[in-house]
Amino acid sequence: DIYKRFIKKDVSDREMIKTGRIASGVILVIGAIWAPMVLKFGHIFSYFQECWAFVAIPVAVIFVGGLLWKKVNSTTAYVTLLLSFPMFAIPYLLRILKIQMNVFNIAGLFLIGFIIVFIIITLLSRSSQPEEVSTMIWKPSMMKLPGGLGAINRIWYHNLFFWGSIMVALYMLIYIVFW
């Protein structure tokens, strides 16, 4: 739809298919040229782990910021998301510059930077209308279960707090065992 929406509005289906095939071929060639870069990471899992550690940061900032702050708008999300594309180059730059710091520590520093940029963009842009976002912003009242679901006399395995506690305990156990 990019071709039809932005390049040629009155395009036939046949031409759209042809354009799609050409674009797919170009992407495959770029992927083939890029493949040797993955070798610099030892194996493909290291490559994915390091690349996505940086690319996930803007997405996480947008998600959490959008949940917790009423002033965030689509402009803030869009600009922050655009900043995720250059993040693909960070793992390569770290290798070229021979920086021997843990990738996740560097990603944490980038997280702080993205939070600061996110706040600045939010403060400089027009906020959304309160009625548009009121149902999307998290409030403490959302912790309460509706109706009789939160009743005290419920069976233990229907208790949300019980299962939440089990999940947190399991995460802590996994963290302790595999750290």
Side-chain angles (χ1 to χ4, degrees), residues 78-97:
Y78 182 73
V79 171
T80 306
L81 200 56
L82 281 180
L83 293 174
S84 70
F85 291 110
M87 298 300 281
F88 277 112
I90 299 300
Y92 300 104
L93 291 174
L94 294 175
R95 292 188 184 275
I96 291 168
L97 299 173

Side-chain angles (χ1 to χ4, degrees), residues 5 12 18 21 37 40 60 63 69 81 113 123 127 131-132 138 144 154 157 162 175:
R5 184 177 294 168
S12 68
K18 181 181 175 185
R21 288 178 178 166
M37 294 296 287
K40 294 184 181 224
F63 181 76
W69 197 7
L81 200 56
L123 293 174
S127 62
E131 59 274 358
E132 291 175 11
W138 185 84
K144 296 179 181 158
R154 294 193 53 89
Y157 55 84
F162 169 76
Y175 183 77

Side-chain angles (χ1 to χ4, degrees), residues 43-55 91 103-104:
H43 50 82
I44 197 162
F45 296 111
S46 291
Y47 169 74
F48 284 133
Q49 188 174 15
E50 289 184 32
C51 286
W52 288 109
F54 292 103
V55 175
V103 173
F104 296 108

Side-chain angles (χ1 to χ4, degrees), residues 85-153:
F85 291 110
M87 298 300 281
F88 277 112
I90 299 300
Y92 300 104
L93 291 174
L94 294 175
R95 292 188 184 275
I96 291 168
L97 299 173
K98 297 186 185 335
I99 296 175
Q100 297 297 322
M101 191 173 170
N102 184 318
V103 173
F104 296 108
N105 291 338
I106 297 171
L109 295 174
F110 274 95
L111 174 66
I112 293 167
F114 264 95
I115 291 171
I116 292 168
V117 168
F118 183 81
I119 290 170
I120 291 170
I121 295 170
T122 300
L123 293 174
L124 293 176
S125 60
R126 184 184 63 79
S127 62
S128 300
Q129 297 298 324
E131 59 274 358
E132 291 175 11
V133 297
S134 64
T135 59
M136 295 182 250
I137 303 297
W138 185 84
K139 301 175 215 56
S141 63
M142 292 179 176
M143 290 291 290
K144 296 179 181 158
L145 294 173
L149 292 177
I152 302 294
N153 60 355

Side-chain angles (χ1 to χ4, degrees), residues 7 12 17 19 27 74 76 89 91 94 117 139 160-161:
I7 298 171
S12 68
I17 291 170
T19 305
I27 290 170
S74 60
T76 304
L94 294 175
V117 168
K139 301 175 215 56
L160 209 56
F161 181 76

Side-chain angles (χ1 to χ4, degrees), residues 11-22:
V11 65
S12 68
D13 288 342
R14 186 175 190 86
E15 192 174 342
M16 290 246 319
I17 291 170
K18 181 181 175 185
T19 305
R21 288 178 178 166
I22 292 169

